[in-house]
Amino acid sequence: PFSSETSGKRIAVLSLSSDADDYYAGRPFIREIRKRRPDAAAFYADAFTGREFLREARARALEADIVILALFSSLRTSKGSVDILPGHIDLVRELAWAGKKTVAISFGNPYFLRHFPEVSAYLCIYKNTTIAQETAARAVFGEIDTEGRLPVTIPGLFPAGHGLTLKKI
């Protein structure tokens, strides 16, 4: 959580969905972030979002001090993968490598972390419902106790059972 850390800091929030026609997947999450930080820059992308827009989102995110990444990918018939898109992976990596404080939140798949273990913090919510997104925003800002343990092993990074407990600020 970083409620006290955000004072005077620029925040960018990127909602990255690997699903087609799910451009606004993170709308509830971004709405909650903006309740706390109305000045936060926000960007949305889905499977159809072009590279030009991702480059613009990257440029704006690089102007921020803190980047919050909401990651979405759902299991759908004929989709082929529940993984995050390569262009989204590259974007997250570039922001983390640029030395930005990056908070990645997966609303479904804990394995996304294997693509960018260099992020500053990673939270997996396992659902992308409105309530889950609102709760994630509260956790990011330290408004609630947050506790979690991985139910799976993320190969090469963390064993099943790894986790943490953060007390409300």
Side-chain angles (χ1 to χ4, degrees):
F2 52 73
S3 63
S4 61
E5 290 182 39
T6 65
S7 180
K9 305 272 180 157
R10 294 167 298 181
I11 296 177
V13 187
L14 285 70
S15 172
L16 305 175
S17 175
S18 294
D19 299 327
D21 298 323
D22 200 19
Y23 187 76
Y24 292 110
R27 185 178 282 169
F29 181 71
I30 289 176
R31 181 184 62 239
E32 290 299 313
I33 296 296
R34 283 189 153 166
K35 279 182 184 177
R36 291 149 180 87
R37 286 297 304 269
D39 60 331
F43 299 92
Y44 296 90
D46 69 0
F48 292 139
T49 302
R51 289 203 176 276
E52 317 78 49
F53 187 76
L54 289 176
R55 278 194 297 272
E56 178 186 333
R58 177 189 172 277
R60 293 282 307 276
L62 286 172
E63 295 172 358
D65 301 301
I66 299 169
V67 180
I68 304 170
L69 302 137
L71 309 172
F72 300 87
S73 185
S74 59
L75 179 60
R76 295 182 182 183
T77 304
S78 303
K79 183 177 169 192
S81 173
V82 294
D83 206 354
I84 192 168
L85 294 174
H88 297 174
I89 292 169
D90 292 343
L91 177 58
V92 174
R93 282 182 179 159
E94 287 177 34
L95 295 170
W97 291 339
K100 296 295 165 185
K101 181 165 192 163
T102 49
V103 179
I105 302 164
S106 171
F107 290 94
N109 187 337
Y111 296 105
F112 292 164
L113 180 62
R114 74 184 191 279
H115 297 300
F116 31 76
E118 57 277 339
V119 295
S120 306
Y122 187 76
L123 177 65
C124 190
I125 302 294
Y126 297 101
K127 290 186 176 194
N128 68 358
T129 64
T130 297
I131 294 208
Q133 292 183 48
E134 291 169 350
T135 301
R138 293 180 66 209
V140 165
F141 281 90
E143 297 170 6
I144 57 174
D145 290 346
T146 304
E147 181 176 355
R149 303 275 174 247
L150 281 171
V152 296
T153 293
I154 300 179
L157 295 173
F158 300 105
H162 181 82
L164 56 77
T165 301
L166 299 173
K167 293 296 180 186
K168 173 171 95 168
I169 296 176

